[in-house]
Amino acid sequence: MTSLRRQSLTTKLGILFALVAIVTFAGVGTYLYKSLSVKLEWRDDQELIGKISVMRHLAAEKDSIADIQRDPHSFRDAAASHDNLILLLKNQTGAVVLHMNEEQGGVPTIPLIPLNSEVNENSIKMIDTTAGLTARAIGAQGRTRNGDIVELIVARTTSDRMRLLKSYYIEVWLASICGTLIAALSGFILARRSLLPIRSMANKAKSITAHRLDTHLDTSSVPQELSELVLAFNEMMDRLNGSFQRLNQFSADLAHDFRTPLNNLMLQTQVALSKARSVEDYQALLDSNIEEYERLSHMVDNMLFLARAENTHIVLKKKSLSCDEELSKIAEYFEGIADEAGLSIEIHATGNIYADPILLRRAMHNLVANAIKHASANSVIQIMTVTENNQTILKVKNQGNAIAADHIEHLFDRFYRVDSARSNAATSTGLGLAIVRSIMNLHNGSVKVSCSHDGITSFDLCFPKEGD
């Protein structure tokens, strides 16, 4: 079985086709053989019934048993057309009056059909003659004109029928073997031709490299049964190509974002070491370096969080939270920062939300910090809740410069920044919104962003209801 599993699909189909063919041919041949055997047996039985009825009639036309002995020709003529037919006539004392085809052997005693009983198939018996031949026999009583009782036995050996059946049996198996070979060869050829599209797909798939992930298989050249497989393969290649492109972009962005603080550290340190400095200068250098180290540490922490979130290594501890209470805490935390920027924060929250409190606060902190960073002076940042479509939606709105439509779909990509007017590379890692999206994915929710023409930007966190 293991070796069969390792064979090619063409070989498997050929072998299975051969097995089906031999079972089919053997089944049909066996059925025909049995059918022929039953029909031949039925014909023999009908012939025996006819012969015993004729013998009864011939006996009834004779005057006596002595008349039969003197002139047995009518009986002999009735049985002469069958070489394997045994005819035995006895008188009431059991003495043999006539025995045709004695070379076939004697017939043992069998029950006789009484004079007034009809002959039927149930009276036929299977016997063995004294010559060792198998025969089917029937016996009946007959009467002459003067009332003499005659015992009539007609038997037919099965030698001719068995020879016919044996010949037919051999022909059936020869036909089955030849039919199986032809069917197996035809099945192998047809399977090989039918699987050509798969070989073509395999050859094309072999040509795909990391630089050709945009290659697609042609769905028009494959059978309908393989079209879903080809479509799934093409979709997989699209996902791989997209992931590969994002990975390349992520590597480039990561190198760029790490290079800036590292260059700052190297440059500041080289300048400080170029000549003797005062203690105050070295302290200022160390303070500046600590800021860069903190930024690098923050970036590494964010990247580790994203890696764990994407591999579902973060265990959520969801609970029902008061929206007003949670959002008020967040507004209170950012109140001093907002005042320094000339902004105010408004809360419009009702109901509860089912979420992990730590991750919810982290996502909201990122959005509110982002809103403060990009809001226009003397504007209001609104934090509110909305319930719709069996979801609880947290909204963070701010008034600022409008975001171009071609940037909106990339806002949640790692290290993505719109322009220098909306980002500060010195303080932003470019991972905040990516973290927000990962947190929402962990909650089986979603995050959306919209921007109106008048510059009102809204980030929406959509949480499913408890139990969904």
Side-chain angles (χ1 to χ4, degrees):
M1 183 62 69
T2 303
S3 59
L4 179 61
R5 290 176 180 173
R6 298 181 62 184
Q7 294 291 336
S8 68
L9 188 57
T10 303
T11 304
K12 288 181 182 179
L13 289 175
I15 293 174
L16 293 176
F17 204 90
L19 292 176
V20 171
I22 194 169
V23 170
T24 302
F25 280 116
V28 173
T30 302
Y31 169 77
L32 293 177
Y33 174 80
K34 293 293 184 182
S35 178
L36 178 60
S37 176
V38 170
K39 283 192 174 183
L40 288 176
E41 187 175 283
W42 180 82
R43 290 182 60 184
D44 285 351
D45 291 347
Q46 296 302 311
E47 188 173 2
L48 285 175
I49 293 173
K51 288 298 181 183
I52 199 70
S53 298
V54 169
M55 298 306 171
R56 268 184 164 184
H57 178 72
L58 292 177
E61 291 182 344
K62 296 295 183 178
D63 293 331
S64 64
I65 293 178
D67 189 21
I68 296 176
Q69 291 176 322
R70 287 192 303 269
D71 185 17
H73 295 90
S74 58
F75 291 92
R76 292 183 181 277
D77 291 340
S81 59
H82 301 283
D83 295 334
N84 299 315
L85 192 68
I86 300 173
L87 176 60
L88 184 63
L89 275 72
K90 296 181 181 181
N91 59 22
Q92 284 182 304
T93 63
V96 176
V97 177
L98 178 64
H99 190 179
M100 289 187 59
N101 292 328
E102 294 183 38
E103 68 277 5
Q104 301 286 333
V107 178
T109 302
I110 61 174
L112 301 177
I113 301 172
L115 287 172
N116 298 323
S117 300
E118 293 291 333
V119 180
N120 55 57
E121 295 178 356
N122 296 328
S123 304
I124 299 175
K125 308 296 180 182
M126 183 69 74
I127 64 170
D128 291 323
T129 68
T130 57
L133 299 176
T134 302
R136 295 179 69 81
I138 187 170
Q141 290 182 334
R143 180 183 295 173
T144 60
R145 289 178 180 175
N146 65 0
D148 293 339
I149 301 300
V150 181
E151 295 182 2
L152 303 168
I153 299 177
V154 179
R156 179 166 183 167
T157 59
T158 58
S159 56
D160 59 338
R161 180 164 58 87
M162 292 306 297
R163 284 194 297 270
L164 176 61
L165 286 176
K166 185 176 181 179
S167 174
Y168 184 73
Y169 179 81
I170 295 173
E171 289 180 2
V172 165
W173 275 106
L174 287 176
S176 298
I177 293 172
C178 294
T180 299
L181 293 176
I182 294 173
L185 181 60
S186 301
F188 183 84
I189 294 173
L190 291 174
R192 188 174 181 83
R193 289 179 60 88
S194 299
L195 293 176
L196 285 178
I198 295 182
R199 294 190 181 89
S200 177
M201 289 168 54
N203 292 331
K204 192 165 185 179
K206 289 178 182 178
S207 66
I208 298 176
T209 63
H211 303 289
R212 297 183 59 190
L213 292 177
D214 57 344
T215 303
H216 286 78
L217 299 180
D218 185 12
T219 57
S220 62
S221 61
V222 298
Q224 184 177 0
E225 292 79 5
L226 296 178
S227 59
E228 291 186 7
L229 175 62
V230 174
L231 289 174
F233 181 85
N234 290 339
E235 291 174 357
M236 179 191 70
M237 293 306 300
D238 288 337
R239 292 193 297 270
L240 287 176
N241 187 40
S243 299
F244 191 75
Q245 296 298 330
R246 287 192 297 272
L247 181 61
N248 285 339
Q249 185 64 40
F250 173 73
S251 300
D253 293 338
L254 182 63
H256 177 270
D257 278 77
F258 270 107
R259 183 176 58 188
T260 300
L262 289 174
N263 285 340
N264 291 339
L265 290 170
M266 291 174 59
L267 181 60
Q268 292 173 2
T269 304
Q270 288 172 353
V271 171
L273 294 176
S274 62
K275 62 179 181 178
R277 304 285 179 179
S278 63
V279 175
E280 291 77 9
D281 291 336
Y282 286 123
Q283 288 178 339
L285 172 63
L286 293 177
D287 288 339
S288 177
N289 287 351
I290 287 176
E291 291 181 2
E292 297 296 343
Y293 289 137
E294 288 177 345
R295 181 174 175 228
L296 288 172
S297 178
H298 185 57
M299 186 181 300
V300 170
D301 288 341
N302 287 339
M303 291 173 59
L304 287 175
F305 176 85
L306 290 172
R308 293 176 60 202
E310 289 185 356
N311 291 279
T312 62
H313 290 166
I314 297 177
V315 179
L316 297 184
K317 298 179 180 178
K318 294 182 181 180
K319 61 175 66 175
S320 182
L321 305 171
S322 170
C323 293
D324 181 65
E325 182 179 343
E326 291 296 324
L327 298 184
S328 296
K329 290 179 181 179
I330 294 171
E332 183 179 352
Y333 177 82
F334 283 100
E335 185 176 1
I337 301 174
D339 288 340
E340 292 179 2
L343 303 172
S344 60
I345 300 177
E346 292 182 357
I347 302 296
H348 305 282
T350 57
N352 296 328
I353 188 169
Y354 189 65
D356 184 299
I358 296 177
L359 295 183
L360 172 64
R361 291 161 194 163
R362 184 166 187 173
M364 290 300 296
H365 274 236
N366 287 347
L367 292 183
V368 174
N370 186 71
I372 292 174
K373 186 185 304 181
H374 303 298
S376 302
N378 301 319
S379 62
V380 177
I381 296 175
Q382 294 181 322
I383 305 176
M384 62 184 68
T385 59
V386 177
T387 301
E388 61 181 37
N389 298 327
N390 206 31
Q391 289 182 322
T392 300
I393 302 176
L394 303 185
K395 292 178 175 286
V396 179
K397 293 184 176 183
N398 70 280
Q399 175 76 46
N401 295 328
I403 305 175
D406 55 339
H407 291 300
I408 288 181
E409 59 179 327
H410 300 291
L411 286 180
F412 299 97
D413 295 342
R414 298 175 184 179
F415 300 111
Y416 187 81
R417 298 184 180 91
V418 177
D419 52 38
S420 58
R422 292 189 60 86
S423 64
N424 184 350
T427 59
S428 172
T429 63
L431 296 174
L433 294 180
I435 290 175
V436 172
R437 181 171 62 181
S438 296
I439 290 174
M440 295 310 299
N441 290 337
L442 290 172
H443 284 82
N444 295 322
S446 61
V447 57
K448 298 182 291 185
V449 59
S450 60
C451 186
S452 61
H453 295 293
D454 55 0
I456 296 179
T457 303
S458 176
F459 284 87
D460 301 346
L461 302 183
C462 304
F463 289 86
K465 290 288 188 178
E466 182 177 356
D468 291 347

